[in-house]
């Protein structure tokens, strides 16, 4: 009942703590300030009354769409020792964007990178995944057959040199 409309996408992930987590992007109304639920699958299987819900991934404002993240990807970054969540924001809003969160402390996600309003992209975010070294993010901005993939250099944002990611393949600014 707390996720009217259900889930759009799910991603299972073995966290660095050893917990098996299920990240589920939600179809939440605008009044709900999160874009993905995080479930501990061991708690779920034990019959937890909250179905194993252990955290919610925030979705920064402005949301502009009656949904949470479109897609989710989570991976461990051995260079930083961080578990990272990559969320493609609502695709129906120009400022929906894409986000990278440090989810090492799953109950206190920390925003690392924001990518908004890139010239030439469709409105909002869609699919947003990292290369194995977490230096680059690859984005599919639409589900159309001939839509290009875009590559973003995350290093300037991860190093703290800029706050918002810019054009694909270019420095952020």
């Amino acid at each position: 009942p707390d996720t009217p409309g259900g889930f759009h996408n799910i991603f299972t992930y073995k966290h660095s703590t050893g917990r098996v987590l299920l990240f589920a992007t939600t179809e939440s109304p605008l009044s709900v300030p999160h874009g993905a639920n995080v479930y501990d699958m061991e708690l779920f299987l034990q019959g937890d009354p909250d179905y194993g819900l252990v955290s919610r991934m925030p979705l920064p404002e402005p949301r502009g769409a009656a949904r949470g993240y479109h897609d989710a990807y989570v991976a461990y970054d051995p260079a930083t020792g961080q578990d990272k969540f990559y969320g493609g924001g609502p695709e129906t809003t120009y400022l929906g964007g894409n986000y990278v969160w440090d989810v090492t402390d799953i109950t206190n996600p920390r925003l690392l990178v924001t990518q908004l309003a890139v010239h030439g992209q469709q409105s909002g975010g869609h699919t947003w995944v990292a290369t194995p070294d977490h230096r680059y993010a690859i984005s599919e901005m639409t589900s159309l057959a001939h839509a290009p993939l875009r590559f973003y250099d995350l290093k300037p944002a991860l190093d703290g040199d800029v706050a918002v990611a810019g054009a694909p393949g270019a420095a952020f600014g």
Side-chain angles (χ1 to χ4, degrees), residues 55-143:
S55 188
R56 290 193 162 111
M57 293 304 304
L59 184 59
E61 293 294 340
R63 289 184 66 183
R67 65 175 303 143
Y69 291 102
H70 183 269
D71 288 337
Y73 172 76
V74 189
Y76 181 73
D77 182 350
T80 63
Q82 296 171 322
D83 298 276
K84 292 180 179 176
F85 170 89
Y86 292 78
E91 63 181 280
T92 56
T93 174
Y94 180 63
L95 293 176
N98 298 301
Y99 305 91
V100 181
W101 294 85
D102 175 359
V103 293
T104 308
D105 177 354
I106 195 61
T107 59
N108 295 298
R110 187 173 61 90
L111 186 62
L112 299 174
V113 176
T114 300
Q115 182 265 329
L116 299 171
V118 174
H119 179 70
Q121 79 176 27
Q122 92 169 30
S123 59
H126 195 279
T127 303
W128 177 247
V129 300
T131 56
D133 64 1
H134 295 264
R135 163 86 191 247
Y136 301 96
I138 303 164
S139 178
E140 173 196 39
M141 298 313 291
T142 67
S143 295

Side-chain angles (χ1 to χ4, degrees), residues 158-170:
L158 292 171
D159 288 350
D161 295 335
V162 298
V164 177

